[in-house]
Amino acid sequence: MAAGRGGESTASVAAHAYLRRALTLIEQRDIFAERVRWAVEWRSLSRRFERSPTIGTADSLIEQALSDIGDRHGYIVTKTAQRPGPSSSLTIPYGRVLAGEIGYLSLPATTAQPGSANAVRYASRGEALVRSLYRRGAKGWVVDLRLNGGGDIFPMLLAIGGLLDGDRVLGFRDRSGSTTWIGYRDSALYVGDKRVMAAPVAEPEIPANARVALLVGPETVSSGEAVVVALHGRPDTRTFGLATAGEAVAVSRYPLAGRRVLEMSSAYDVDRFERAYIGPIPPDTVMWPARSDVDQTLTAAVAWTNPSRGNRDSVVWTSISLVVLVACAHIAQRLGGRKSDD
């Protein structure tokens, strides 16, 4: 085997360079990197590498570093292999109209790669459902994210494009504090000025005051949580269920030697108001699972979302206000009459 510097083999020199590049990327760009003391981490990993200076050892040490900082999105994968994907077996959205003019839309996980045919299929299915439910009279909306274990965020957002608005739908903030924004306009998603994905047919213009309920839970992970963040701050929007998994982060991919790719968490998700989401996202209304065949989380969400509920509430409060005004006028009249008698 050819020798390298200081008597090292060419293979061990290449493995050392490979390890150093990967660890440097993690230290400088992973949002969880500050959880360890890197001077100590470098010494510990370097001593272990010296005992077996191979690419295989380097891979295991890189994975150890990702584990040490607690990056659950961190992986070393080959360009021909796929990292572990979401556990859900569902691959495309589905929905129906519920009683009370509610459009129900379930957004499952998707392992489709950005820009792939499967990603387009997912987004197109969601768009078609939203158009169909809207034409069938849906006025309020329930978006179920309880089984959304993550994947590609772009088809998920485009699937519910009719509920999005503005140039700051979702942001990704890196360790330097710089934020990259996803925007939605003209039935297309943009990153900055670059159009990333567009709907094949213009999506319906759903009224901005339409109520939207999001169903969430511990299996709402990563891109599933990003959908929640994207709709946070939207008027008349509320979350129901349990806290999410706490992995609302963006993942970046960096090419390494030997057709390997380093994936790691490079940014926190931020909402339209630039609020970062670190840790589990609590729901607005907590719904603990009940020992019943009834989906009580969905029931509570539908009750809040039902557009006629708001009308009934308005009628009730208007009636109460009128009664109070009439009573006050009557009392004032009687008091005025007494003063005249005096």
Side-chain angles (χ1 to χ4, degrees):
M1 185 176 293
R5 291 173 300 179
E8 291 182 288
S9 70
T10 302
S12 65
V13 170
H16 185 265
Y18 165 75
L19 175 63
R20 176 166 291 277
R21 169 170 164 74
L23 294 181
T24 300
L25 284 169
I26 296 170
E27 180 184 8
Q28 294 179 350
R29 302 190 185 183
D30 197 298
I31 55 176
F32 302 119
E34 295 178 355
R35 292 176 174 176
V36 301
R37 294 175 57 193
W38 277 94
V40 175
E41 188 79 1
W42 275 100
R43 284 197 298 271
S44 173
L45 297 177
S46 295
R47 282 197 293 267
R48 292 171 58 184
F49 178 78
E50 289 168 0
R51 291 196 290 269
S52 177
T54 66
I55 287 288
T57 301
D59 280 340
S60 65
L61 295 177
I62 293 165
E63 291 174 354
Q64 181 63 54
L66 291 167
S67 176
D68 290 344
I69 64 176
D71 186 349
R72 289 183 284 182
H73 284 81
Y75 294 95
I76 288 289
V77 296
T78 63
K79 292 182 180 179
T80 56
Q82 297 293 328
R83 67 178 176 85
S87 59
S88 173
S89 61
L90 302 173
T91 56
I92 60 173
Y94 65 95
R96 62 188 185 275
V97 176
L98 304 178
E101 300 177 314
I102 305 297
Y104 170 86
L105 184 69
S106 175
L107 289 187
T110 172
T111 56
Q113 295 300 303
S116 68
N118 284 338
V120 173
R121 177 170 172 259
Y122 183 105
S124 298
R125 172 62 174 169
E127 298 159 16
L129 279 170
V130 171
R131 285 196 303 273
S132 174
L133 299 177
Y134 186 67
R135 289 169 182 168
R136 291 163 60 189
K139 293 183 173 60
W141 298 84
V142 173
V143 180
D144 196 340
L145 299 164
R146 289 176 293 180
L147 293 178
N148 191 318
D152 184 3
I153 184 59
F154 291 103
M156 294 180 193
L157 290 179
L158 199 58
I160 57 168
L163 303 176
L164 303 177
D165 62 306
D167 287 333
R168 286 192 170 193
V169 169
L170 175 67
F172 303 120
R173 180 180 299 159
D174 63 21
R175 284 181 59 188
S176 71
S178 176
T179 301
T180 300
W181 290 100
I182 296 177
Y184 178 81
R185 55 186 182 273
D186 301 325
S187 296
L189 292 169
Y190 291 78
V191 175
D193 294 327
K194 180 183 178 182
R195 190 168 78 165
V196 177
M197 197 170 187
V201 179
E203 302 191 56
E205 294 183 5
I206 295 172
N209 64 349
R211 285 191 171 188
V212 176
L214 306 176
L215 310 187
V216 299
E219 293 184 61
T220 307
V221 187
S222 189
S223 292
E225 293 172 284
V227 176
V228 179
V229 175
L231 291 171
H232 261 191
R234 181 192 178 278
D236 295 302
T237 301
R238 191 172 183 85
T239 51
F240 295 79
L242 297 173
T244 64
E247 298 180 31
V249 300
V251 175
S252 292
R253 299 169 178 84
Y254 302 92
L256 300 174
R259 297 186 61 78
R260 288 169 168 80
V261 175
L262 170 64
E263 295 189 0
M264 63 182 179
S265 302
S266 59
Y268 288 109
D269 293 354
V270 298
D271 65 20
R272 65 191 69 193
F273 302 116
E274 301 192 32
R275 293 177 297 199
Y277 289 77
I278 303 172
I281 304 172
D284 297 311
T285 300
V286 176
M287 298 295 300
W288 292 100
R291 294 180 179 178
S292 168
D293 292 335
V294 177
D295 188 341
Q296 296 189 354
T297 302
L298 176 60
T299 301
V302 168
W304 175 82
T305 308
N306 191 331
S308 61
R309 176 187 177 225
N311 295 335
R312 288 198 302 270
D313 291 346
S314 298
V315 170
V316 170
W317 283 109
T318 300
S319 300
I320 293 173
S321 299
L322 288 173
V323 169
V324 171
L325 287 173
V326 170
C328 290
H330 182 65
I331 293 171
Q333 185 178 22
R334 291 185 63 185
L335 289 175
R338 288 178 181 177
K339 289 182 179 179
S340 298
D341 292 342
D342 296 341

